[in-house]
Amino acid sequence: MPELPEVETMVRLLRPRVEGAVMGAAESADPSLCDAVRKVRTPTRVERLWRRGKHVLMRTASAQWIVIHPRMSGRLVWGGQVEEQERTRVRWRFSDGEMRLVDRRRLGTVVVSETAPDLKLGPEPLGGLAWLPKQLSLSRAPVKAWLMDQRNVAGIGNIYASEICFRAEIDPRRPARELQRDEAERLSHNISMVLREAIDSRGTTLADGGYRGPGGELGEFALQLAVYGRGGAPCLACGTEVRRIVQSGRSTFFCPSCQR
DNA sequence: AGTCCCCTGGAG
DNA sequence: CTCCAGGGGACT
């Protein structure tokens, strides 16, 4: 489910409750998650909570790192005393509530380590993209696949990859190395624009329920999706039918007229 | 780059 | 029933 903007949103909502707070023992009924979670020496203060790519990290006073990856359907929420109605996989106790990993499909992972984790991720896309044109020129992969490869740039997933290509007016099937200078610059510009706008509207929400903040509030970015999920519908810019194709096993949506 | 896999659930 | 899903790792 979550890509960079959704993960950033959940981290921003959780940070005020979690950072600096003392965390007690975690509970999980999932064997794999339980094994990871019980390695944390508790109680311990959470010194920092942050995002890297699509991962959520915590640094504890017990000198450990906790890495949570929501994958397709996971999300971290703050819960009070209210009984959860959804699939809670892990509960981290705090004095005034708990942080929960809710994950319908159980694809999410939790890893606890004693040393700084190597997530094997490329640079953060919001930290400046001056390096991007050169890196693009080194790859034969289709632009959309390149954007989604976390080793190239961290945090872009299937929805935003399609949206970014649309805004940049670039055919997602084009080999990365064949982009011209101005096209690479358009791509850079729109990576920043799309992700920032998505974060500003607190992520996206699709029909499956998608992301919901701890208070149940919905992300608003779905209203701004120009091509994702709109196969067969008219392009918002030119009216041409939006096409859906499959690239490396994932749906890609694009306007064959606007995107060259 | 493609295929299968990990899971669950909604839509058609 | 089949197909699809915002991710990603293993293995062709």
Side-chain angles (χ1 to χ4, degrees):
Chain A
M1 179 250 333
E3 302 182 33
L4 185 153
E6 291 75 33
V7 177
E8 180 64 24
T9 298
M10 55 180 89
V11 163
R12 287 184 184 185
L13 292 166
L14 286 166
R15 183 174 288 135
R17 330 237 23 176
V18 170
E19 252 181 20
V22 175
M23 186 173 74
E27 297 172 13
S28 178
D30 267 273
S32 63
L33 297 175
C34 188
D35 288 349
V37 137
R38 63 193 301 175
K39 284 161 60 181
V40 180
R41 293 181 288 276
T42 56
T44 185
R45 177 185 304 276
V46 177
E47 294 184 334
R48 193 153 92 90
L49 172 77
W50 73 105
R51 176 194 61 75
R52 173 81 172 94
K54 303 170 190 172
H55 299 76
V56 176
L57 294 97
M58 285 190 287
R59 174 63 168 161
T60 67
S62 59
Q64 293 171 303
W65 281 265
I66 303 171
V67 182
I68 300 151
H69 192 141
R71 294 284 189 100
M72 292 280 271
S73 57
R75 64 183 197 266
L76 287 171
V77 300
W78 183 261
Q81 318 309 338
V82 188
E83 229 17 68
E84 75 276 12
Q85 59 294 62
E86 300 173 79
R87 308 263 182 214
T88 297
R89 304 302 175 183
V90 183
R91 315 152 74 98
W92 285 272
R93 303 279 190 196
F94 290 83
S95 60
D96 59 340
E98 60 187 28
M99 184 175 78
R100 300 169 179 162
L101 172 62
V102 178
D103 186 2
R104 209 171 44 186
R105 288 171 71 179
R106 293 170 58 211
L107 294 171
T109 59
V110 177
V111 173
V112 176
S113 63
E114 305 294 331
T115 55
D118 176 13
L119 302 177
K120 299 186 167 59
L121 299 175
E124 283 292 317
L126 299 180
L129 293 167
W131 51 270
L132 190 136
K134 184 185 177 186
Q135 288 308 116
L136 274 179
S137 73
L138 301 176
S139 172
R140 288 180 300 275
V143 178
K144 195 242 188 178
W146 189 91
L147 287 172
M148 289 182 66
D149 188 332
Q150 304 299 296
R151 294 169 302 184
N152 295 142
V153 52
I156 299 172
N158 206 37
I159 290 182
Y160 297 109
S162 278
E163 294 297 313
I164 288 163
C165 288
F166 174 77
R167 292 263 201 115
E169 300 182 353
I170 292 168
D171 187 321
R173 300 167 294 187
R174 297 262 306 280
R177 57 154 62 154
E178 288 178 17
L179 293 197
Q180 302 300 306
R181 184 85 205 174
D182 62 318
E183 295 175 319
E185 280 168 14
R186 276 198 333 253
L187 197 64
S188 292
H189 180 248
N190 285 288
I191 288 171
S192 303
M193 291 291 288
V194 169
L195 296 179
R196 284 182 206 284
E197 285 178 25
I199 290 171
D200 286 347
S201 46
R202 308 167 74 256
T204 190
T205 303
L206 297 184
D208 73 346
Y211 179 70
R212 233 170 261 267
E217 62 273 37
L218 299 171
E220 299 154 6
F221 196 65
L223 301 176
Q224 298 168 44
L225 294 179
V227 286
Y228 185 85
R230 300 192 62 248
C235 168
L236 300 178
C238 75
T240 302
E241 226 177 67
V242 172
R243 283 190 61 193
R244 173 187 179 273
I245 60 173
V246 175
Q247 286 181 293
S248 46
R250 313 292 301 277
S251 289
T252 298
F253 297 89
F254 71 104
C255 170
S257 171
C258 292
Q259 297 174 254
R260 306 291 182 171

